[in-house]
Amino acid sequence: MKGRRPLNLLIASSEAIPYAKTGGLADVTGALPQELSKLGHDVILILPRYRSLDHSGRRFRPVARLSVAALQGSPEAVIEEDLLQLPDQERSIRVWAVRQDAFFDRADLYQENGRDYPDNLERFAWFSRSVVEVAAFLHRERNWPTDILHLHDWQTALCSVFLKTTDHDRPELKRVKSVLTLHNVGYQGIFPGSRFHATGLPSSLFTIEGLEFYGSVNVLKGGIIYADHLTTVSPSYAKEIMTPQFGFGLEGVLRSREKQLTGIINGIDTGRWNPASDPFLPGHYSRDDRRGKRVCKQKLQEELGLPQKDGPLLAVIARLTSQKGIDLLEAVIPQLMQRDLDLQFAILGAGDPAHEGTLRQLRTRFPKQIGLHIGFDERLAHRIEGGADMFLMPSRYEPCGLSQLYSLRYGTVPIVSKTGGLIDTVVPA
């Protein structure tokens, strides 16, 4: 921070550890505020007040009430706060959760029983609207003008649109600059064009130069057009998304903003992910003393109902989708089993019901070779990284990936596809 003043950073995300998680986005947005705070910046992380926050082990208290415009009237948003103390630091991060139970008091974050909530556009348009109102409130009532509003993926992308259009002339928002990070361009927030009014934006923005996308509403497209700067999660992915193969129809829009797009590799929280001190591991180890890794492997085999043997134990922790190459894994497992390679698999994930079903069938077919846990379990993820010999990431595309970074940290050899951030982080051997 030498020679530069600290910034007021408002980070808006639809998920972040330890509060709510479906994937790597939560790991990044949970760790990034801590790192920025260590650099001397004043950081507030803002999330929806999901039901899952009650099970996070954190305590929230009401700090403000705001009126947030919606389709019907102006429902009140209750802002609740948690103070997240930084390890080995005197300072803490303010975490603000926006409460509107009609939108967020649900069993899951985005979907239930494998189907998206039908009102996701309304839910996250309202959340984006509330984030802008929080920025205005902080300036007006707390003398805390936001320097940078850092947005993540389509769920918060509308904030940048509001700042440049409907809220452009509000004095308390004049200095706010928005940065939109694209964690995965494959998820764009696409909804029927007939529902554009749910965004709260004027109909003049539903054009090819705005949020219109082949007759539909594309929320991420709006964020890409209106954000002051764009980042994505690896240099290779920044290049890939400007091609038809990886741009998912937005490659032209992204090319038009190439000068405002920066690829930055994600980092990991090396305090939470440390095999020498990880509280979830049954044995600790380091690069210089790996004896604890053998203990981790034996305990993992026991936990997953696998016989304890010395053959290679391969791990997969992923969303169970074709993007992650799960169908490739399903096709190759029977072939590998026929080759008598003495392999075992530890698989953790949830996603497409068809993939979940296929993996269950494979587990039934090869009970001594496959350990399977459908769902997500943070503690088990750590134990799998600690106990496995190798980690498989057969992704068709991977913006950055975090599991390969955890694997490198845990001495678990990553075997990955040559794509995106995997190119930037795994050295071929």
Side-chain angles (χ1 to χ4, degrees), residues 80-94:
E80 300 181 2
E81 180 182 77
D82 175 40
L83 296 177
L84 192 62
Q85 188 70 38
L86 294 182
D88 306 320
Q89 299 280 323
E90 294 182 1
R91 64 174 65 223
S92 58
I93 295 168
R94 284 175 285 175

Side-chain angles (χ1 to χ4, degrees), residues 180-182 185 224 228-235 237-242 251 253-264:
L180 173 62
T181 295
L182 309 170
V185 175
I224 291 170
D228 291 296
H229 197 83
L230 304 168
T231 69
T232 191
V233 291
S234 70
Y237 190 59
K239 298 173 184 175
E240 288 177 347
I241 58 179
M242 288 185 281
E251 57 273 9
V253 180
L254 288 160
R255 283 197 298 269
S256 74
R257 302 224 59 199
E258 183 175 4
K259 292 182 179 179
Q260 293 82 36
L261 173 62
T262 307
I264 305 170

Side-chain angles (χ1 to χ4, degrees), residues 12 47 95 145 161 169 185 197 224 241 257 262 268 303 331 343 374 396:
L47 305 162
V95 180
V161 186
D169 295 325
V185 175
H197 65 288
I224 291 170
I241 58 179
R257 302 224 59 199
T262 307
I268 63 172
E303 181 176 359
L343 296 177
I374 297 294
R396 283 186 164 81

Side-chain angles (χ1 to χ4, degrees), residues 158 161 196 201 205-207 210-213 216-218 221-222:
L158 284 176
V161 186
F196 179 78
L201 294 167
L205 294 181
F206 189 60
T207 66
L211 280 72
E212 190 270 338
F213 184 75
S216 298
V217 182
N218 189 315
K221 180 187 175 188

Side-chain angles (χ1 to χ4, degrees), residues 126-269:
W126 186 87
F127 175 62
S128 297
R129 180 74 259 161
S130 70
V131 169
V132 172
E133 293 302 334
V134 164
F137 167 82
L138 285 166
H139 192 166
R140 185 176 63 246
E141 305 292 338
R142 299 292 179 89
N143 193 30
W144 196 91
T146 300
D147 291 303
I148 296 176
L149 175 56
H150 190 183
L151 310 171
H152 296 269
D153 280 348
W154 77 263
Q155 290 91 344
T156 55
L158 284 176
C159 294
S160 62
V161 186
F162 292 138
L163 287 173
K164 289 289 179 67
T165 58
T166 57
D167 296 77
H168 181 258
D169 295 325
R170 295 176 66 176
E172 64 268 48
L173 297 172
K174 278 286 188 183
R175 66 182 282 177
V176 180
K177 298 295 183 182
S178 64
V179 175
L180 173 62
T181 295
L182 309 170
H183 293 264
N184 190 332
V185 175
Y187 297 93
Q188 299 178 3
I190 298 176
F191 301 92
S194 58
R195 293 173 59 193
F196 179 78
H197 65 288
T199 64
L201 294 167
S203 58
S204 58
L205 294 181
F206 189 60
T207 66
I208 193 170
E209 292 81 18
L211 280 72
E212 190 270 338
F213 184 75
Y214 299 100
S216 298
V217 182
N218 189 315
V219 177
L220 187 66
K221 180 187 175 188
I224 291 170
I225 292 170
Y226 285 98
D228 291 296
H229 197 83
L230 304 168
T231 69
T232 191
V233 291
S234 70
S236 290
Y237 190 59
K239 298 173 184 175
E240 288 177 347
I241 58 179
M242 288 185 281
T243 69
Q245 184 178 359
F246 297 103
F248 292 93
L250 293 181
E251 57 273 9
V253 180
L254 288 160
R255 283 197 298 269
S256 74
R257 302 224 59 199
E258 183 175 4
K259 292 182 179 179
Q260 293 82 36
L261 173 62
T262 307
I264 305 170
I265 293 176
N266 278 338
I268 63 172
D269 185 335

Side-chain angles (χ1 to χ4, degrees), residues 312-316 324 329 336 343 345 385 389-395 398 403-405 407-408 412-419 422 426-429:
L313 177 55
L314 281 62
V316 177
K324 297 295 184 180
L329 181 70
L336 291 173
L343 296 177
F345 287 85
E385 288 283 10
D389 297 301
M390 291 169 263
F391 197 96
L392 302 182
M393 294 185 71
S395 307
E398 193 65 64
S403 292
Q404 84 279 12
L405 300 176
S407 299
L408 290 167
T412 303
V413 179
I415 302 172
V416 306
S417 300
K418 190 176 180 181
T419 185
L422 303 180
V426 178
V427 178

